[in-house]
Amino acid sequence: MPDSAAAPVILGTTGPFPHSVLAERHPAIIRQVRDAFPYGPEQHHALDELLHNCTEGVIEPLPAPDRWHDWGLDTHVGQSWFDVPWLWSESYFYRRLLDAVGYFGPGPWQGVDPFRPFKLAELDAKETDEELSALDALGDDPDRSLLHGSLWGNRADLGFRLSAADSGEAVAALVADDSAALWPLLDGGTLCLVADNAGRELVPDLLLIAHLLDTGRIARAVLHIKPYPYYVSDATTADVVDALRRLTAAPGAAARHGRTLWSAMADGRLTVRAHPFSCAPLPYAEMPGDLRAEFAAAALTVFKGDLNYRRLVGDRLWPPTMPFADVTAWFPGPVAALRTLKSDVVTGLSADTEAALDAAEGQRWRTAGTHALIQVNPRPSAAT
């Protein structure tokens, strides 16, 4: 790993973007969750307390023993939410939100995903039908189109992503593109895909997996999702099932891909994995040995989305020109990142690219979701 002393950990006070997430986005999420379900007085009182605590109070302990004590909770109790690492406080907010609505029970709200109405509304939207119909008109390069469909996630609809991949529009918005190094790694082995969001981002992830299985580029896929609701839209097992049902009920190519995935789950070619560390507020460099061994055995591990990128490279203010290979040198096997830029963390850019982006947009390009990257480290030093 490079010297991280020169790249400070991002705190809630590190610039306007992290601060706005803690001070504005989290209260808005509490209000949305409150309105999405007919919760009772107990849940409403707990949500009110969380709203006050996360904006004006200090970090409080969990009501029962939990693995969060191994993830830094004892260190941060009593501190302001804004004064601890942003990745940690942002993650802990969602853990406390689940407590507030009774997700972990016991009680009638145990196991009820507070974000499910938002996920289903997106998945059931008429735009999804239009996006899936675009699969019937893929061009001569489905590899590239489906890769870009997965990359852009919820940045834009799938129809845009597929057509943009053909037209070059999506490529022009890439700040880094190592896709040429990605395909040779898919040599018939196992792909680990660490998923990001449910709904209209998970669907193109699944379509990419189906295509890779159908073409023999991979023999097996392991889809890493969250063991419980997280970051509003992060994918859980229930979201995978919803997405597969949506695909199999659609006409044309979408249904064909859905049937491929359904049968692949039945015979073990597609496995869903919900490791507890997927919801940890820590960088993946601190992952446990069993997860490290799983990634080491894969032909390629792909990290999807912004949060997973922050955890892969470390949620630090790296110089944007810091090589991606350097910040992922610790990884136990070949690794790639498909990410739309929605936070300040970025690595692997050329000096010319950084200068041009800064001149055109100031710092907005880092967080607006208008740019993306495909980065690959085919041979991390930890794997050799």
Side-chain angles (χ1 to χ4, degrees):
M1 285 285 288
D3 181 11
S4 60
V9 172
I10 295 176
L11 308 178
T13 54
T14 306
F17 186 71
H19 186 275
S20 70
V21 169
L22 298 177
E24 300 170 17
R25 182 184 297 177
H26 287 178
I29 289 170
I30 291 174
R31 289 188 285 268
Q32 290 171 346
V33 167
R34 179 200 300 276
D35 294 340
F37 285 95
Y39 290 122
E42 181 181 352
Q43 288 76 36
H44 280 274
H45 177 70
L47 288 169
D48 287 340
E49 287 196 334
L50 179 60
L51 178 60
H52 173 77
N53 177 254
C54 73
T55 54
E56 301 180 41
V58 297
I59 293 166
E60 298 177 350
L62 291 168
D66 192 276
R67 60 174 53 91
W68 275 81
H69 292 284
D70 299 324
W71 292 344
L73 178 57
D74 295 338
T75 301
H76 298 315
V77 164
Q79 293 182 274
S80 166
W81 290 76
F82 296 85
D83 292 339
V84 303
W86 179 44
L87 175 63
W88 197 96
S89 59
E90 195 179 11
S91 300
Y92 192 57
F93 166 79
Y94 289 99
R95 178 62 179 80
R96 293 308 307 265
L97 181 61
L98 293 183
D99 271 330
V101 297
Y103 180 86
F104 294 108
W109 294 102
Q110 184 178 33
V112 176
D113 183 349
F115 310 125
R116 184 166 174 79
F118 317 128
K119 296 174 178 177
L120 290 178
E122 179 182 288
L123 195 60
D124 294 340
K126 66 177 182 179
E127 290 83 2
T128 305
D129 289 323
E130 298 168 0
E131 294 166 6
L132 293 179
S133 67
L135 291 168
D136 296 317
L138 285 182
D140 296 330
D141 193 358
D143 286 353
R144 182 175 183 235
S145 295
L146 290 169
L147 179 67
H148 278 267
S150 178
L151 164 67
W152 284 102
N154 57 13
R155 157 66 177 83
D157 64 57
L158 183 58
F160 164 83
R161 294 191 293 266
L162 298 177
S163 63
D166 292 333
S167 69
E169 184 177 352
V171 175
L174 293 180
V175 299
D177 184 4
D178 297 338
S179 55
L182 184 149
W183 298 110
L185 299 172
L186 301 176
D187 58 358
T190 296
L191 168 70
C192 284
L193 193 151
V194 183
D196 187 28
N197 292 325
R200 288 161 65 188
E201 179 168 355
L202 182 60
V203 165
D205 292 343
L206 290 170
L207 293 172
L208 177 62
I209 289 173
H211 173 69
L212 296 175
L213 287 170
D214 277 341
T215 57
R217 284 189 176 273
I218 59 173
R220 180 172 176 263
V222 182
L223 181 67
H224 286 258
I225 45 84
K226 302 299 190 296
Y228 50 78
Y230 197 58
Y231 278 70
V232 181
S233 57
D234 281 33
T236 65
T237 302
D239 299 318
V240 175
V241 175
D242 287 338
L244 289 179
R245 285 175 173 158
R246 186 71 167 91
L247 285 172
T248 56
R256 184 175 69 252
H257 287 307
R259 289 191 295 270
T260 293
L261 294 163
W262 199 281
S263 64
M265 289 193 70
D267 62 28
R269 288 177 296 134
L270 172 57
T271 302
V272 176
R273 184 95 153 92
H275 195 285
F277 193 77
S278 295
C279 287
L282 304 171
Y284 268 98
E286 300 181 34
M287 64 183 161
D290 62 330
L291 195 55
R292 182 178 293 269
E294 188 169 336
F295 291 151
L300 176 65
T301 298
V302 174
F303 284 84
K304 275 295 311 294
D306 196 80
L307 174 61
N308 285 326
Y309 188 86
R310 291 163 58 192
R311 295 186 66 196
L312 175 64
V313 304
D315 203 33
R316 296 175 175 272
L317 287 178
W318 296 109
T321 54
M322 176 67 71
F324 179 74
D326 288 357
V327 295
T328 57
W330 58 271
F331 200 79
V335 63
L338 303 182
R339 177 231 183 172
T340 304
L341 276 61
K342 297 179 181 177
S343 68
D344 291 307
V345 179
V346 66
T347 68
L349 305 192
S350 70
D352 288 345
T353 296
E354 181 191 6
L357 290 167
D358 285 345
E361 304 180 37
Q363 296 297 300
R364 186 177 179 275
W365 62 270
R366 293 173 178 253
T367 60
T370 54
H371 298 279
L373 55 78
I374 302 172
Q375 292 177 323
V376 179
N377 187 354
R379 287 179 293 276
S381 60
T384 59

